[in-house]
Amino acid sequence: MPDPVKESTILHVDMDAFFASVEQRDHPQWKGLPVVVGSPPDKRGVVSAASYEARKFGIHSAMPSREAGKRCPHAIFTPPNIGRYAEVSAQIFAIFERYTPEIEGLSLDEAFLDVTKSLGLFGTGLSIAEAIRAAIHGELGLTASVGIASNKFLAKIASDMNKPDGVTLVPREPRAIKAFLAPLPIGRLWGVGKVTEAMLRKAGLHTIGAVQEATDAQLLALVTKAQAQHFRRLCAGEDDRRVEPHVEAKGISREQTFGEDVSDPRVIRETLLFLIEDVGRQLREAGKYARVVGIKVRWQGFETITRRLTLTPAACDNFTLRRSALALLDKVAFEKPVRLVGFGVYELADSAGEQMNLLDATGKGPEKHERLSRTLDEIGKRFGRASRRRAP
Ligand SMILES: [Mg+2]
């Protein structure tokens, strides 16, 4: 019987320098110039995205804007317009939907598509990838890079290999897959954080090929048995995660991987609060209300849980998002160190829906919380705090 995962055809579509490319498209006079989306260089704050021309000066997302200004004083700085990017994102996802309903959005500009069942109608993974790229370019004036493979891990690695405006097809034969992965740095392995990477490098394991060649004894001297098994499978290009449609699609989420696994519940809570604030602001900027909120916790050893809660009415204010997420967090038993936490809002609606006039335990109505959150967004923007965000 054929292994269903091996027979799958998965695309990972990733827009090229998405925020910056939308700005360049919307401002044709910026084409070919270094464009930095983020805080201005004289304010505190960071770069959200940089055009390829700006990247040539060593500017990248999450870099302080001040540093970016030093590296390229003539760069064009423009504040992020998340509402605009969300609009374009919806157009991109509508193009995906012509080819498959099985779409798992990872962020505004990135998604996995399982096109296995579309092959009969549209040909090969490659022909679907090219059709999607042509539609994005022809209809939206933007470029995307696509990786095509038998699973998510390989497809995601591949989309990055011929960026920008490129397609990469990963071979299917196990030995060819190993050869494809061998030259890549070990940082490309899914789930390898900075600490683990440094440790593997210290042991002389710089490439995926080196881990492929390493003996069990060598690996077990460095990492736990579960991690070693995880590495072995990934280094062989094996990954059986499914494309999960509608799980994160059309939602906004953000996660934080800790440099070192965390056991202190206060750190986990603080990090979650930071993520909630960031996601909440993006939600309000997009003019949406969340019907569902969710948290994600990944333990040391890669086991991951998600917890979700439906909001009635839908909401976009930080108070409601915080209260819901912390209620979910309270129900999680923390018995192991935590590697990653995430927060997301899903099933986004254009309005809160009914029951807008109910008061909550604080005696405030939802509109009051919403107004307060929006006021704080404005204040944050004025003082440059709103842009202190990593790019998606
Ligand atoms: Mg991208």
Side-chain angles (χ1 to χ4, degrees):
M1 214 181 91
D3 176 343
V5 172
K6 276 211 184 88
E7 298 300 314
S8 295
T9 298
I10 311 294
L11 308 189
H12 179 254
V13 185
D14 186 20
M15 299 299 293
D16 301 320
F18 182 53
F19 293 0
S21 300
V22 171
E23 295 296 346
Q24 283 180 313
R25 183 198 68 175
D26 290 353
H27 304 86
Q29 67 276 24
W30 293 352
K31 280 246 162 74
L33 300 177
V35 172
V36 176
V37 178
S39 301
D42 58 343
K43 292 259 166 64
R44 282 180 59 153
V46 297
V47 172
S48 282
S51 74
Y52 284 94
E53 295 84 358
R55 292 181 193 189
K56 286 193 189 129
F57 292 87
I59 297 171
H60 54 78
S61 55
M63 169 183 278
S65 290
R66 200 168 280 162
E67 175 64 26
K70 266 188 223 151
R71 293 195 185 197
C72 182
H74 64 283
I76 294 151
F77 283 80
T78 187
N81 184 349
I82 297 291
R84 177 75 179 137
Y85 311 144
E87 220 172 274
V88 181
S89 172
Q91 295 169 329
I92 295 165
F93 277 72
I95 290 174
F96 297 161
E97 278 166 17
R98 295 174 197 166
Y99 296 93
T100 177
E102 292 181 48
I103 303 164
E104 179 181 341
L106 300 176
S107 67
L108 289 177
D109 79 315
E110 203 186 319
F112 286 116
L113 280 62
D114 187 337
V115 298
T116 312
K117 294 187 197 118
S118 317
L119 297 178
L121 203 53
F122 297 107
T124 62
L126 188 59
S127 60
I128 295 173
E130 287 300 10
I132 288 173
R133 280 163 31 78
I136 290 174
H137 191 253
E139 297 168 32
L140 306 177
L142 295 167
T143 64
S145 296
V146 182
I148 310 157
S150 51
N151 64 48
K152 287 162 83 167
F153 166 62
L154 292 171
K156 176 135 175 141
I157 282 193
S159 70
D160 200 42
M161 291 185 87
N162 287 302
K163 244 181 180 315
D165 201 12
V167 177
T168 307
L169 180 63
V170 181
R172 283 180 177 258
E173 204 265 317
R175 285 176 62 156
I177 290 174
K178 278 182 97 167
F180 168 85
L181 292 173
L184 300 176
I186 41 131
R188 302 302 301 276
L189 287 179
W190 168 62
V192 171
K194 288 225 159 60
V195 175
T196 312
E197 183 179 345
M199 186 187 60
L200 290 171
R201 282 184 182 280
K202 217 172 146 194
L205 304 173
H206 297 280
T207 62
I208 294 181
V211 181
Q212 286 170 351
E213 301 294 319
T215 63
D216 282 342
Q218 243 178 309
L219 279 185
L220 288 175
L222 299 166
V223 295
T224 65
K225 204 170 165 192
Q227 277 176 316
Q229 276 169 355
H230 176 78
F231 289 161
R232 279 259 185 259
R233 297 195 56 235
L234 284 183
C235 289
E238 290 168 22
D239 172 21
D240 53 15
R241 292 173 298 158
R242 305 276 167 171
V243 170
E244 293 180 59
H246 310 302
V247 172
E248 305 209 38
K250 289 175 185 150
I252 302 171
S253 62
R254 188 177 160 180
E255 45 190 55
Q256 178 75 46
T257 305
F258 295 113
E260 245 163 282
D261 296 342
V262 167
S263 301
D264 185 345
R266 278 172 312 179
V267 174
I268 293 161
R269 194 186 152 96
E270 285 302 311
T271 306
L272 189 66
L273 290 175
F274 171 77
L275 299 177
I276 292 167
E277 216 177 283
D278 189 55
V279 169
R281 189 177 53 237
Q282 291 191 48
L283 178 67
R284 292 185 293 277
E285 281 181 21
K288 300 284 183 187
Y289 295 78
R291 290 208 183 100
V292 172
V293 300
I295 63 165
K296 179 173 175 179
V297 178
R298 177 168 301 148
W299 313 105
Q300 192 177 54
F302 306 101
E303 185 197 335
T304 306
I305 58 152
T306 55
R307 295 285 180 268
R308 287 180 181 226
L309 184 76
T310 301
L311 300 178
T312 322
C316 68
D317 67 275
N318 281 348
F319 176 81
T320 308
L321 299 181
R322 242 183 345 244
R323 190 181 47 179
S324 321
L326 292 178
L328 290 173
L329 188 71
D330 279 345
K331 288 191 203 136
V332 177
F334 286 87
E335 285 154 358
K336 273 184 283 186
V338 172
R339 160 144 311 185
L340 168 153
V341 289
F343 173 76
V345 290
Y346 309 93
E347 295 188 25
L348 307 186
D350 292 325
S351 71
E354 292 160 20
Q355 305 178 23
M356 270 303 268
N357 296 320
L358 285 184
L359 299 185
D360 61 32
T362 64
K364 288 187 189 131
E367 315 96 317
K368 205 158 187 180
H369 288 303
E370 185 182 329
R371 258 202 316 276
L372 179 62
S373 291
R374 288 191 190 280
T375 306
L376 290 173
D377 290 344
E378 280 308 310
I379 293 170
K381 236 185 237 168
R382 207 165 303 157
F383 293 96
R385 248 185 306 142
S387 328
R388 205 187 301 157
R389 158 179 57 215
R390 279 164 180 269

